[in-house]
Amino acid sequence: QPEPDDLAAGLAEVGLPLQRGARFGTAGGANDKGMAVTWLRERLTRELGERPLLYGFGDSYNDAAMLRAVDVAMLVQRPDGTYADLAIDDVEHLDGIGPAGWCDGADVILSIRR
């Protein structure tokens, strides 16, 4: 089985950057979650006639682009209780690992929307 750095180098040679997640890596080409958020925002703005407020939850490096693209970025704890070290301004650190963190984020959204 190849080492992670060897795998990343091999994928890069064929134009597929490796994005590391909390448990898995993704070879996704020239797209990322931030581009998906931008695409979604454009479509919703056209459909709704106004710019929607978008929230994002993440816990790893492959979530960074998505968290930069949303209006309210929330970082969930990783399985070891730490937070991914992402260079994102105004990110809210949620209490709870995995699903418990997502639930905390849902509570934040519901309290903002009231």
Side-chain angles (χ1 to χ4, degrees):
Q1 197 167 23
E3 292 294 316
D5 290 338
D6 293 340
L7 178 60
L11 288 169
E13 286 178 18
V14 295
L16 295 172
L18 179 65
Q19 295 181 357
R20 291 195 171 97
R23 293 181 14 185
F24 303 103
T26 303
N31 298 306
D32 61 34
K33 293 178 183 183
M35 294 172 76
V37 168
T38 300
W39 178 90
L40 178 63
R41 181 187 311 279
E42 290 170 1
R43 267 64 182 177
L44 288 173
T45 299
R46 267 199 314 267
E47 299 255 338
L48 300 172
E50 62 183 278
R51 184 180 187 273
L53 181 65
L54 299 179
Y55 300 86
F57 303 96
D59 65 355
S60 61
Y61 300 102
N62 68 340
D63 297 317
M66 180 256 314
L67 292 172
R68 285 187 195 97
V70 297
D71 300 297
V72 180
M74 295 182 235
L75 200 55
V76 175
Q77 289 176 298
R78 297 185 293 187
D80 65 1
T82 64
Y83 296 96
D85 185 19
L86 307 178
I88 300 171
D89 296 331
D90 299 322
V91 66
E92 178 152 354
H93 290 78
L94 300 171
D95 294 325
I97 295 169
W102 302 150
C103 288
D104 188 39
D107 288 341
V108 169
I109 291 170
L110 292 173
S111 70
I112 291 171
R113 299 297 294 175
R114 291 188 184 139

